[in-house]
């Protein structure tokens, strides 16, 4: 019996997805729909059910029909069941992502990017280390690092057949009191996300410069979020403690490791002959930029396996990336301040400018935003200016409705940043909603 699962990640923004792929040839086995749609309707049995159906991803991803079955599909199903015996990830999509990530480690020479698996949780006993135990016995050539120096790690990475790096208790490396001492480790994990990034060190008595490879897939577990630069290169699994009634199988090395090794060897035997095929595939992705680079190996593995996995991979990708975008928006820095200022201008009928005092008033009184909690009186003008300076936005003199001049911000200075960092928060070109109770517009001088 499968353990109960918590509710899945929330659905992302609407996207459009073409027909699914047959193993090794995405989209070839299905004729394009006349209207450019997603092809024929899937069978009733292929539709998501239960919690997956309730949180169906917009844009037709959940409507992708099953692809041609291969033995790889059955292997991934078995691997998924093996993982689910020992841990309860936060959603079915997270379990799918873990399964695909494990399989992708056996095809590392095919990838341009080596996705990190960030296994994070808010506290102890969330299953992070247990998941790392399972990964250690199922991934390709595991390299478990405990108090390992960066020099030892990159000297252990083979450029042709890299190991899979496994880092537990990452909070002891990247915590606030020790992070500065471990910048080299962070740099190594960042560089190793992309093929062809090397570190140069002098070796031998004559101090000859030597380039060391950094490219390798890595799973990193710890309490709290990892550094932003690592999270941005990761498939993020946000673990949490088991609720009452959720049961898992205790992990016993003598009993369980042989079965996991047998599973690992079967996955490797299936994957290795597909190495050249995997290296040539470039599937269309439901996400863009670095998220697409990170998830591409997982989607390719799913397409090679066929069956329900092409759909599962894309739904997991879209939902989990959207969840991380939402988590980033909730963080009191970065694009969050731009999104909240966008909402203030929208609520004020898209005025040409706002004084710093008025803008801070609206930001600090928003009960859903973190700004009012920054000090006794909330965020200050200096803090606001410092945050916006990263986006090349600076305060200036603005003319108010009473014809006086005050320090403030002009709306047109935000337009480029809004388009780049928060385009889904009230479209920049969208006309404002007028209200009888709205305040008079303030005019730019």
């Amino acid at each position: 019996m499968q353990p109960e699962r918590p509710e899945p990640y929330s659905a992302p923004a609407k996207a459009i997805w073409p027909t699914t792929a047959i193993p090794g040839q995405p989209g070839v086995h299905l004729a394009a729909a006349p209207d450019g749609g997603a092809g024929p309707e899937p069978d009733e049995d292929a539709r998501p059910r239960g919690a997956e159906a309730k949180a169906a991803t917009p844009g037709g991803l959940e409507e992708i029909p099953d692809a041609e079955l291969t033995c790889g599909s059955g292997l991934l199903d078995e691997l998924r069941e093996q993982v689910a015996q020992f841990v309860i990830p936060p959603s079915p999509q997270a379990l799918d992502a873990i399964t695909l990530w494990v399989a992708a480690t056996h095809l590392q020479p095919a990838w341009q990017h080596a996705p990190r698996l960030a296994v994070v949780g808010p506290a102890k006993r969330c299953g992070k280390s247990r998941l790392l135990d399972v990964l250690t016995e199922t991934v390709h050539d595991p390299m478990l690092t405990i108090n390992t120096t960066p020099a030892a790690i990159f000297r252990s990475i083979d450029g042709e057949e890299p190991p899979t790096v496994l880092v537990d208790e990452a909070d002891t490396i990247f915590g606030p009191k020790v992070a500065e001492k471990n910048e080299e480790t962070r740099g190594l994990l960042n560089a190793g996300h992309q093929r062809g990034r090397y570190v140069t060190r002098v070796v031998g008595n004559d101090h000859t410069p030597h380039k060391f490879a950094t490219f390798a897939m890595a799973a990193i577990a710890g309490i709290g979020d990892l550094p932003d630069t690592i999270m941005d290169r990761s498939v993020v699994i946000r673990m949490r403690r088991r609720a009452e009634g959720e049961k898992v199988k205790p992990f016993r090395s003598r009993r369980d490791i042989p079965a996991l090794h047998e599973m690992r060897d079967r996955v490797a035997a299936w994957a290795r002959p597909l190495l050249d095929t995997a290296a040539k595939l470039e599937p269309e992705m439901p996400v863009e930029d670095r998220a697409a680079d990170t998830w591409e190996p997982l989607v390719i593995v799913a397409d090679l396996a066929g069956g329900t996995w092409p759909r599962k991979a894309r739904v997991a990708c879209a939902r989990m990336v959207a969840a991380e975008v939402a988590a980033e928006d909730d963080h009191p820095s970065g694009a969050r301040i731009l999104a909240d200022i966008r909402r203030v201008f929208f609520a004020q009928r898209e005025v040409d400018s706002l004084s710093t005092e008025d803008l801070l008033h609206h930001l600090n009184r928003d009960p859903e935003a973190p700004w009012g909690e920054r000090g006794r009186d909330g965020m200050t003008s200096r803090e606001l200016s410092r945050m916006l300076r990263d986006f090349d936005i600076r305060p200036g003199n603005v003319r108010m409705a009473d014809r006086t001049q005050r320090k403030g911000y002009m709306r047109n200075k935000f337009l480029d940043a809004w388009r780049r960092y928060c385009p889904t928060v009230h479209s920049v070109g969208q006309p404002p909603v007028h209200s009888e109770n709205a305040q008079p517009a303030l005019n730019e001088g």
Side-chain angles (χ1 to χ4, degrees), residues 199-262:
V199 295
T200 303
R201 296 290 185 271
V202 293
V203 297
N205 295 330
D206 56 354
H207 302 289
T208 304
H210 182 78
K211 291 198 306 181
F212 291 92
T214 62
F215 181 83
M217 291 179 67
I220 309 149
I223 298 173
D225 280 7
L226 304 173
D228 288 347
T229 52
I230 296 178
M231 295 289 280
D232 196 38
R233 294 165 169 81
S234 299
V235 174
V236 181
I237 310 297
R238 295 191 175 275
M239 301 293 288
R240 51 191 179 185
R241 285 185 183 173
R242 286 185 286 120
E244 184 177 356
E246 291 181 329
K247 303 293 183 182
V248 293
K249 178 181 177 181
F251 184 83
R252 298 291 181 265
S253 299
R254 187 180 184 90
R255 177 193 65 199
D256 297 320
I257 285 180
L260 292 174
H261 282 184
E262 191 265 343

Side-chain angles (χ1 to χ4, degrees), residues 5 31 65 88 121 127 130-131 151 206 227 261 294 310 335 340 356 381 384 423 425:
R5 304 289 172 190
I88 300 181
R130 178 62 69 241
L131 177 55
D206 56 354
H261 282 184
T294 297
D340 286 351
T356 302
S381 59
L384 177 63
V425 182

Side-chain angles (χ1 to χ4, degrees), residues 271-293:
R272 295 304 289 186
L274 299 172
L275 186 62
D276 290 339
T277 302
K280 296 174 183 177
L281 295 182
E282 295 183 19
E284 292 188 61
M285 301 291 295
V287 294
E288 297 179 334
D289 302 324
R290 183 166 284 157
D293 294 338

